[in-house]
Amino acid sequence: RHLIDLSAYSGQVVRIAFRLIDSPTNCRLSTGWYVDDIEILEGAYPAWSPEGFESGIGGWSAERGQWQIGTPSFGGLTSGHNSPNCAGTVLDGDYTCAADSRLISSPASLSASPADGKLWLSFWQWFSLSRTDGIDAGMVEISTDNGSTWTVVSVVMSGTGGGWTRHLIDLSAYSGQVVRIAFRLIDSPTNCRLSTGWYVDDIEILEGAYP
């Protein structure tokens, strides 16, 4: 799923186009681009904390493919963390060569005065990323300008995590702000050594002393 903010065009008559461009000088062709279930929606994004993906994708979206919502069936995974569904990169296969894709949350308003002055992003993850060239990695990013710019707040290094594990990130510096969270997978564009990918589940924002 991909979401685009059209609020700036409110009240106007518009046409939408999906444009595919192939390099005119280096014709390396591929399968193509497919779109479906196109609609214009209005209103605020659905809240997402906590998020276990059992009701579908909610207010989340993805850039440049890769991320899917559902029950995994590859690399030994048969379910999400505590329930059938999760978010993952290609639920039934390896991520693709030269992948660079974000799973992006809807905006969340963080408390300006959290308990004990602390805010945390908590989530469970399973990952297996190629370590051959040391470049493939997953990273968690945050945006305070609705996705125009992103700041890395945590990096999941290449390799295999070994099972579902909990990860905590201190977001206290962003207290009082409206943020979006992204899980970004990057594959080396020069050495495509692929692996099962990155799966996340049970995502929530907590406040107070260390959970």
Side-chain angles (χ1 to χ4, degrees), residues 72-122:
S73 59
F74 189 71
L77 275 180
T78 58
S79 72
H81 170 235
N82 270 327
S83 52
N85 285 1
C86 64
T89 54
V90 189
L91 295 174
D92 60 356
D94 290 340
Y95 52 88
T96 60
C97 181
D100 184 354
S101 178
R102 290 183 178 98
L103 174 70
I104 304 172
S105 76
S106 57
S109 297
L110 302 185
S111 173
S113 54
D116 296 316
K118 302 295 290 185
L119 283 170
W120 307 91
L121 174 67
S122 169

Side-chain angles (χ1 to χ4, degrees), residues 3-4 6-7 12 14-16 37-43:
L3 289 170
I4 301 171
L6 298 182
S7 305
Q12 300 184 52
V14 302
R15 301 182 78 176
I16 303 296
D37 296 332
I38 305 163
E39 57 183 331
I40 293 176
L41 306 172
E42 62 178 82

Side-chain angles (χ1 to χ4, degrees), residues 180-192:
R180 300 182 79 174
I181 303 296
F183 297 88
R184 183 181 182 186
L185 175 78
I186 300 178
D187 174 62
S188 166
T190 58
N191 190 359
C192 290

Side-chain angles (χ1 to χ4, degrees), residues 75-192:
L77 275 180
T78 58
S79 72
H81 170 235
N82 270 327
S83 52
N85 285 1
C86 64
T89 54
V90 189
L91 295 174
D92 60 356
D94 290 340
Y95 52 88
T96 60
C97 181
D100 184 354
S101 178
R102 290 183 178 98
L103 174 70
I104 304 172
S105 76
S106 57
S109 297
L110 302 185
S111 173
S113 54
D116 296 316
K118 302 295 290 185
L119 283 170
W120 307 91
L121 174 67
S122 169
F123 63 94
W124 288 78
Q125 64 180 357
W126 187 104
F127 63 94
S128 180
L129 308 177
S130 172
R131 71 174 98 210
T132 302
D133 50 23
I135 297 177
D136 292 10
M139 58 188 66
V140 182
E141 300 176 321
I142 193 167
S143 174
T144 58
D145 57 8
N146 202 32
S148 295
T149 56
W150 294 95
T151 300
V152 176
V153 291
S154 182
V155 176
V156 178
M157 299 307 294
S158 300
T160 299
W164 284 102
T165 55
R166 189 191 196 193
H167 194 62
L168 287 170
I169 301 171
D170 188 347
L171 297 184
S172 305
Y174 298 92
S175 296
Q177 300 185 56
V178 177
V179 303
R180 300 182 79 174
I181 303 296
F183 297 88
R184 183 181 182 186
L185 175 78
I186 300 178
D187 174 62
S188 166
T190 58
N191 190 359
C192 290

